[in-house]
Amino acid sequence: MRTLYSLIVVFAVPLILAARTEKTTAMEPLSPNSQNDSTANGYQKKWWKEAVVYQIYPRSFKDSNGDGIGDLKGITSQLDYIKGLGVDVIWLSPMYDSPNADNGYDIRDYRKIMTEFGTMSDFDELLKGVKQRKMKMILDLVVNHSSDEHAWFAESRKSKDNPYRDYYIWRPAKNGKEPNNWVSYFSGPAWKKDPATGEYYLHLFAEKQPDLNWENPKVRHEVYDIMKFWLDKGADGFRMDVIPFISKDQSFPDFPKDYDGNFGKVYALGPKLHDYIQEMNREVLSKYDVMTVGEAAGWTLEKTPLLVDERRNELNMIFQFDVVGIDRQRWRWKPWTWRDVKAIYTRYDKALDVHSWNTVFLSNHDNPRVVSHFGDDSPLFRLASAKALATILLTQKGTPFIYQGDELGMTNYPFTKIEEFDDIEVKNAWKAEVLTGQVDAADYIAHLRKTSRDHSRTPMQWDSSPNGGFTTAAKAWLAVNPNYKEINAKQALTDPNSIYHYFRSVIELRKKTPALIYGDYADLDPRNASIFAYTRTLGADKYLVVLNLSKENVAYTLPGALKAGQLALSNLEGKEENVPVVNLKGWEARIYKL
Ligand code: TEU
Ligand code: CA
């Protein structure tokens, strides 16, 4: 089973680590079983607060049977590579049976593995491999909607008195048209008239993703049974897809007068959301040692405690999108500044007290590649900026989520024409806005080159062989980024100065530095346009993280007559210590112990 990679990981990595450790100074480790001595800085210690999570998008991770599509056996074959990073938890994007209208986020059978991805025993083998390496795995729970090919919907649409009718949201026409003016995330109205009964069903996403009716207790208990099925198999928790949308105002009013086009915010205002999540917690979550992260599309930052305050028995943490969505309105790109991003991290710090925990993420399968989005993916600065962004990801307060390939500095794809895209969100908007002449085709493509979800869905780049070693097939399901000859795992594993090994070092430092996990956060220079300087403090332990988020060299005078202290880690050669002014090259990042 030992693949070439695992051999490299097992033999090369320790050598490279030995070479690197001179940079990481010894710190008293987290008390080994931090679980039992229960608090740090007022926080309840929890494994999922100290964990680092790695997200896998199975379709694009590794193909094991040469059909050009990633699969579960492919993931199992690369577990040593993932373990080598030092991550603790894998978040597996949907691997359930699905017709893939939205790449698995449209589930036809919640207890069956997608044929393309393999079998249930492949899943069991994967989970076993994860546990053998002392990692955990959380699954994707997509229950705001199902596939329209799910047996429930096949029954539901048959007739108005079908026993499954109430599993979905059906409404009669209003003045001959849709029941209200709600729109779909994937363009067009959010209602589809179904010929069988002439009524409309609601779909906040694709027509092939009808929304489940959570008002119906049968539906809720179907979901709880599905969750128990996977938790009893050994899964360690769930990432919950668009969880704020599961409750709907049953009068389905049109958008409010002051509607600003941000429909997600309206869909997240359902009146019974917290009742349902508290019920889910009582019925399922409280019975297992699990981690839960809600994907809180449309959720305003300051309301985060309503979903995650530990005293409410709802979720452990949420993905809130103010940072990652700072520069786009749907597919349209808009300018942003680091000053704006820094302000959002300070808002999180103010909004979440010791009872509410956060996530930290800069990318996922719905967003462009982090180094292209927030860094500088030009050859001169790709390495430094990817490492600088890794420093932010792993030293901000909250549980960090790494998206597959970001540890290699994979970049956005050079899309030029619509045929190159796979994403239903792209294709539907093309039909709805470009083919109707509302939007210029070249303008649309230009925006997508910055904002498309497909940037993060191009296959993992494992080596410099054809298709980046992702598949032995002539063609991958989505084209591999042509820069795979330079950017790939094989190169990264053997290069001590690679982004992969830098991620590993920061994760190692984080693991043995409680201050970087539970420590107080303070932005020292919020107005500075290109320097991000903040501290993390836990008791007497204080760390300074200082980053130059521009390509210009900067001689930065630390605020408040602060001195830099002892260098714990840096992404470039800078060695200065105990100085009031730090000379930072372009995209240089340093972590100091004060
Ligand atoms: O995403 C919800 C969501 O917020 C995204 O739709 C995102 O805002 C949008 O794509 C902007 O580009 C979740 C899943 O992560 C996504 O992959 C699914 O397409 C969607 O739900 C429906 O399940
Ligand atoms: Ca395959």
Side-chain angles (χ1 to χ4, degrees):
M1 223 285 285
R2 285 230 166 282
T3 63
L4 165 62
Y5 292 109
S6 50
L7 289 169
I8 293 174
V9 166
V10 170
F11 291 103
V13 170
L15 290 172
I16 290 159
L17 282 185
R20 293 186 63 81
T21 40
E22 95 283 344
K23 276 251 182 103
T24 55
T25 47
M27 307 271 175
E28 75 284 344
L30 260 179
S31 50
N33 43 19
S34 65
Q35 302 309 338
N36 43 35
D37 50 8
S38 67
T39 67
N41 204 19
Y43 287 93
Q44 288 294 325
K45 285 187 180 179
K46 293 287 184 183
W47 61 265
W48 42 264
K49 292 180 183 177
E50 298 163 15
V52 175
V53 185
Y54 186 82
Q55 179 193 358
I56 291 180
Y57 192 74
R59 202 173 186 82
S60 300
F61 195 70
K62 182 77 169 112
D63 174 19
S64 71
N65 65 345
D67 64 354
I69 300 173
D71 47 54
L72 300 185
K73 278 190 181 343
I75 300 172
T76 305
S77 73
Q78 296 298 346
L79 286 175
D80 288 332
Y81 166 86
I82 298 167
K83 179 64 178 177
L85 258 179
V87 301
D88 309 283
V89 177
I90 289 175
W91 156 23
L92 185 62
S93 272
M95 74 300 169
Y96 315 93
D97 175 45
S98 166
N100 285 303
D102 185 20
N103 292 2
Y105 280 90
D106 51 314
I107 299 172
R108 176 168 53 204
D109 184 333
Y110 287 95
R111 293 179 177 78
K112 187 170 176 295
I113 298 298
M114 187 192 294
T115 312
E116 293 102 315
F117 291 173
T119 63
M120 188 59 84
S121 66
D122 293 338
F123 175 83
D124 298 339
E125 193 59 31
L126 169 59
L127 190 54
K128 199 167 97 210
V130 167
K131 305 273 185 178
Q132 280 168 340
R133 291 168 179 79
K134 303 213 172 343
M135 294 191 285
K136 293 175 182 272
M137 187 153 79
I138 65 173
L139 303 179
D140 219 307
L141 184 71
V142 187
V143 289
N144 170 71
H145 45 267
S146 75
S147 164
D148 66 344
E149 297 183 24
H150 192 292
W152 294 339
F153 192 71
E155 283 302 312
S156 185
R157 69 190 324 167
K158 279 185 179 157
S159 65
K160 294 181 184 176
D161 56 6
N162 181 288
Y164 286 89
R165 187 67 168 184
D166 247 0
Y167 271 48
Y168 295 86
I169 299 168
W170 296 94
R171 287 293 185 281
K174 190 170 165 199
N175 316 329
K177 293 195 295 85
E178 287 83 8
N180 71 12
N181 64 358
W182 284 11
V183 295
S184 161
Y185 262 85
F186 298 153
S187 302
W191 298 91
K192 175 134 180 74
K193 188 172 185 176
D194 197 58
T197 59
E199 286 198 329
Y200 289 84
Y201 68 86
L202 179 70
H203 60 89
L204 295 183
F205 291 89
E207 290 176 4
K208 286 184 71 58
Q209 290 169 300
D211 281 51
L212 285 163
N213 176 23
W214 276 68
E215 294 288 316
N216 180 345
K218 289 199 191 107
V219 168
R220 299 200 302 273
H221 286 284
E222 294 269 16
V223 170
Y224 304 153
D225 292 346
I226 289 164
M227 295 171 75
K228 290 174 199 165
F229 171 82
W230 291 104
L231 294 176
D232 290 343
K233 282 180 81 64
D236 300 290
F238 294 102
R239 174 267 187 193
M240 302 184 186
D241 194 59
V242 285
I243 203 69
F245 295 177
I246 60 177
S247 167
K248 277 82 173 180
D249 175 336
Q250 293 305 299
S251 66
F252 290 101
D254 280 344
F255 285 130
K257 298 278 171 289
D258 61 355
Y259 171 60
D260 61 0
N262 182 342
F263 44 79
K265 226 163 54 183
V266 175
Y267 302 156
L269 297 174
K272 295 185 181 162
L273 174 61
H274 300 292
D275 302 341
Y276 295 155
I277 297 179
Q278 286 167 15
E279 181 185 69
M280 177 195 279
N281 199 302
R282 278 194 308 277
E283 298 288 329
V284 183
L285 303 174
S286 57
K287 299 184 171 63
Y288 299 84
D289 176 15
V290 291
M291 167 184 166
T292 54
V293 51
E295 188 223 15
W299 201 257
T300 52
L301 189 155
E302 278 70 20
K303 284 175 48 183
T304 298
L306 291 176
L307 282 172
V308 305
D309 184 309
E310 61 200 1
R311 297 165 293 186
R312 293 175 61 90
N313 299 319
E314 298 193 22
L315 304 176
N316 296 145
M317 59 189 100
I318 62 169
F319 294 133
Q320 199 279 334
F321 292 90
D322 281 16
V323 170
V324 90
I326 195 164
D327 63 342
R328 67 191 175 103
Q329 172 48 14
R330 295 184 63 226
W331 53 265
R332 263 182 210 292
W333 182 83
K334 59 185 179 176
W336 63 283
T337 68
W338 273 109
R339 196 181 282 136
D340 297 337
V341 170
K342 296 196 295 183
I344 296 170
Y345 283 121
T346 295
R347 280 173 56 210
Y348 280 131
D349 187 55
K350 294 215 174 340
L352 278 63
D353 66 13
V354 294
H355 298 292
S356 292
W357 193 251
N358 202 1
T359 59
V360 186
F361 68 106
L362 293 170
S363 60
N364 61 22
H365 63 291
D366 288 335
N367 286 279
R369 284 278 170 195
V370 65
V371 71
S372 303
H373 190 178
F374 291 105
D376 178 336
D377 61 9
S378 68
L380 204 51
F381 289 109
R382 184 180 68 86
L383 243 66
S385 66
K387 293 176 181 179
L389 294 168
T391 310
I392 293 173
L393 188 67
L394 293 160
T395 61
Q396 278 287 330
K397 188 187 276 186
T399 298
F401 287 74
I402 303 169
Y403 179 67
Q404 68 179 46
D406 287 348
E407 75 280 8
L408 301 176
M410 283 174 60
T411 69
N412 281 358
Y413 184 92
F415 291 109
T416 56
K417 53 186 188 302
I418 192 65
E419 292 75 17
E420 293 172 320
F421 290 92
D422 163 80
D423 184 6
I424 185 173
E425 187 171 19
V426 166
K427 291 177 174 172
N428 282 11
W430 172 268
K431 289 192 218 111
E433 300 177 60
V434 177
L435 297 185
T436 56
Q438 293 166 51
V439 172
D440 166 72
D443 186 32
Y444 182 54
I445 301 291
H447 278 274
L448 289 178
R449 282 171 67 89
K450 287 177 177 289
T451 63
S452 173
R453 308 195 294 179
D454 278 345
H455 288 301
S456 58
R457 298 174 180 194
T458 62
M460 266 291 275
Q461 296 162 211
W462 291 104
D463 58 38
S464 58
S465 68
N467 289 315
F470 164 74
T471 177
T472 54
K475 226 162 113 9
W477 75 274
L478 186 63
V480 177
N481 194 311
N483 61 18
Y484 69 84
K485 293 198 176 59
E486 298 80 43
I487 302 173
N488 62 65
K490 187 171 182 186
Q491 183 282 329
L493 287 169
T494 52
D495 169 1
N497 191 38
S498 68
I499 301 164
Y500 179 98
H501 288 304
Y502 184 77
F503 260 94
R504 191 190 160 76
S505 313
V506 187
I507 291 172
E508 192 190 306
L509 177 64
R510 179 192 169 87
K511 277 194 187 318
K512 57 186 180 187
T513 313
L516 291 178
I517 297 174
Y518 294 110
D520 293 338
Y521 171 76
D523 183 338
L524 304 180
D525 195 354
R527 303 301 306 155
N528 192 302
S530 60
I531 298 293
F532 196 177
Y534 53 93
T535 55
R536 301 294 310 275
T537 308
L538 180 58
D541 281 345
K542 189 167 189 161
Y543 286 76
L544 165 68
V545 181
V546 57
L547 309 109
N548 175 6
L549 302 172
S550 73
K551 55 182 166 214
E552 278 76 38
N553 295 351
V554 175
Y556 180 60
T557 303
L558 294 170
L562 194 61
K563 281 225 171 115
Q566 190 187 345
L567 185 63
L569 197 63
S570 77
N571 68 342
L572 293 178
E573 279 55 45
K575 296 246 178 307
E576 296 164 318
E577 294 188 311
N578 307 314
V579 290
V581 177
V582 286
N583 295 290
L584 302 172
K585 290 200 174 54
W587 290 100
E588 184 163 1
R590 296 183 190 161
I591 303 176
Y592 286 100
K593 178 160 180 28
L594 297 181

